[in-house]
Amino acid sequence: MITTLSAVTLATNGMAASVRFYRLCGFEMLYGGEDTGFTSFRAGSGYLNLIAQAAEIRWWGRAIFYDDDVDGLYRRLVDAGVALQAPPRDAPWGERFFHVTDPDGHEISFAWPLDRSSDSAR
C-alpha cells in the first residue's frame, strides 16, 4: 500500500535561478544550492528536488503543493516580478489555488482546501 509521496525531482537547466525561485516560494533548502548539481527542499513531510540537466526540458505535468497562505504567496511572487498565469481562485473541487511556471518551464500549483463549513453560508 502506498502511504505518501516522498519526493518530486525536477530537472533544471539553471540551478541558481531555480534555487532562488523555490526559496522565494517558501521552500526550505536542505541540501545543495545555487552552484551544485542537486538540491533538495523540504515540502511538508516530503521533498522537492532539483537536478542539473543539460537536455531540453518540456512540459511534463504539474506538481501541486499546499500552502496555508495562497493569496500571500501569490502577492509575494507578484511583488518579486514573477509572471503568473492568473490570480488565486476557488475551484469547484474545494481548493483555492494558482499556477506558476518555474524558470525551467515546470508548472507548479499552490493550493489550500476551502473551508467546507462556509459552503452553507453561500
Side-chain angles (χ1 to χ4, degrees):
M1 171 173 64
I2 297 172
T3 60
T4 190
L5 175 66
S6 172
V8 171
T9 300
L10 303 175
T12 179
N13 286 316
M15 186 64 77
S18 290
V19 166
R20 287 190 299 270
F21 173 80
Y22 285 102
R23 291 185 79 181
L24 176 64
C25 289
F27 288 88
E28 175 191 0
M29 189 173 66
L30 302 174
Y31 174 84
E34 293 185 14
D35 298 322
T36 65
F38 185 84
T39 299
S40 186
F41 296 93
R42 183 179 316 283
S45 63
Y47 304 91
L48 170 66
N49 302 317
L50 301 174
I51 189 165
Q53 181 65 255
E56 181 181 355
I57 299 167
R58 296 196 180 275
W59 193 83
W60 57 276
R62 175 184 304 133
I64 302 166
F65 297 94
Y66 272 178
D67 186 297
D68 63 359
D69 186 10
V70 170
D71 292 279
L73 174 57
Y74 177 83
R75 283 189 302 277
R76 191 167 73 239
L77 294 175
V78 167
D79 290 347
V82 175
L84 294 150
Q85 298 170 6
R89 58 194 176 276
D90 294 348
W93 57 84
E95 292 178 330
R96 184 157 181 82
F97 76 99
F98 71 91
H99 304 309
V100 61
T101 303
D102 82 357
D104 288 291
H106 299 298
E107 191 170 295
I108 307 297
S109 291
F110 293 97
W112 192 252
L114 294 170
D115 181 9
R116 292 300 201 180
S117 63
S118 66
D119 288 347
S120 58
R122 288 185 190 163

